[in-house]
Amino acid sequence: DIEMTQSPSSLSASVGERVSITCQASQDIRNYLNWYQQKPGKAPKVLIYEASKLETGVPSRFSGSGSGTSFTLTINNLQPEDVATYYCQQCENLFTFGPGTKVDLK
Amino acid sequence: EVQLVESGGDLIQPGGSLRLSCEASGFTVGTNYMNWVRQAPGKGLEWVAVLYSGGSTYYAESVRGRFIISRDNSKNTLYLQMNNLKREDTAVYFCARDKRAYTNGAWYFDLWGRGTLVTVSS
């Protein structure tokens, strides 16, 4: 099975800051990596698919990069509505989610 | 409106069985890949099972042999039959639709329901 790790597990940042979250896969998953945002009490929402493609309707301050085993989600100009937990997900071999990164405001 | 609505969550004793339902509207369950994903209280997301449009099914190791994913095309509904439930199965269960933007592209979950809570406790 493919295992996913994320770092950091949580972070605090100020409005307007740039935030980066990394995701590591236990084996090469090419670019089959998605990013989701989940707010408390809500279902997850896809932000980025195939490592770097922005889902329709998602603000352009969100971006993704990486391939192989190492990936990054970047939020430019952090906004109050970005407070949430972010999960990566591999889809190379079925599906596995990372443990999540909780983002809040400083 | 395109949406998924889960139901069937309940308080159930260890060893018991429960069937969850996920009713779709605005699209056809039978022509899509459909999944169940769960989230234990205060924990992260765990993929549980997938049902392909052709009928193939796959499960996470943690539920294989105990859970069965199925669908009823006439009711446009996805199901998760959960047997021999354990305390660690306590979670909110979401159904989610698979999508890919183009042939050979990556699959991702583009549509989610709001979830239904299953509590396994004596």
Side-chain angles (χ1 to χ4, degrees):
Chain A
D1 290 4
I2 300 174
E3 297 181 0
M4 308 299 292
T5 58
Q6 286 182 235
S7 62
S9 57
S10 65
L11 67 89
S12 294
S14 301
V15 172
E17 270 193 57
R18 181 180 187 179
V19 165
S20 290
I21 299 168
T22 63
C23 176
Q24 294 274 130
S26 61
Q27 63 189 71
D28 186 351
I29 59 170
R30 297 181 284 171
N31 64 342
Y32 287 115
L33 189 284
N34 307 316
W35 289 98
Y36 296 84
Q37 175 194 66
Q38 186 181 32
K39 297 183 179 180
K42 302 292 188 181
K45 167 190 169 185
V46 64
L47 301 174
I48 303 285
Y49 64 95
E50 271 182 50
S52 62
K53 295 180 169 64
L54 195 67
E55 173 70 335
T56 302
V58 174
S60 59
R61 63 179 179 273
F62 292 93
S63 63
S65 63
S67 67
T69 62
S70 183
F71 304 86
T72 302
L73 173 71
T74 300
I75 310 173
N76 286 300
N77 186 22
L78 186 73
Q79 296 299 299
E81 60 265 32
D82 300 334
V83 169
T85 300
Y86 294 83
Y87 296 92
C88 60
Q89 176 205 41
Q90 69 81 18
C91 56
E92 160 67 28
N93 182 10
L94 296 176
F95 305 100
T96 312
F97 289 95
T101 296
K102 187 174 182 180
V103 174
D104 61 25
L105 291 179
K106 193 179 293 182
Chain B
E1 182 186 4
V2 177
Q3 65 175 357
L4 294 166
V5 179
E6 302 93 337
S7 61
D10 205 349
L11 171 63
I12 189 85
Q13 291 191 343
S17 296
L18 197 62
R19 188 179 80 161
L20 305 182
S21 301
C22 170
E23 185 173 359
S25 51
F27 73 99
T28 303
V29 163
T31 59
N32 282 270
Y33 292 5
M34 299 295 298
N35 299 265
W36 287 97
V37 176
R38 69 184 180 183
Q39 186 168 37
K43 302 298 183 182
L45 301 169
E46 179 186 16
W47 173 78
V48 172
V50 62
L51 172 58
Y52 291 161
S53 53
S56 298
T57 58
Y58 296 91
Y59 300 90
E61 181 65 34
S62 58
V63 306
R64 195 173 300 139
R66 300 188 298 122
F67 289 12
I68 300 171
I69 187 172
S70 64
R71 67 185 178 227
D72 184 332
N73 292 339
S74 68
K75 295 182 179 178
N76 208 27
T77 298
L78 179 74
Y79 300 102
L80 185 67
Q81 177 67 42
M82 304 186 295
N83 300 319
N84 189 22
L85 281 159
K86 305 176 181 181
R87 287 185 173 81
E88 53 265 37
D89 295 319
T90 294
V92 173
Y93 285 75
F94 298 98
C95 60
R97 182 180 69 179
D98 251 322
K99 172 186 175 179
R100 60 182 178 181
Y102 55 93
T103 303
N104 297 323
W107 292 97
Y108 61 97
F109 300 168
D110 74 316
L111 180 67
W112 296 68
R114 299 180 68 175
T116 187
L117 176 62
V118 173
T119 303
V120 183
S121 175
S122 52

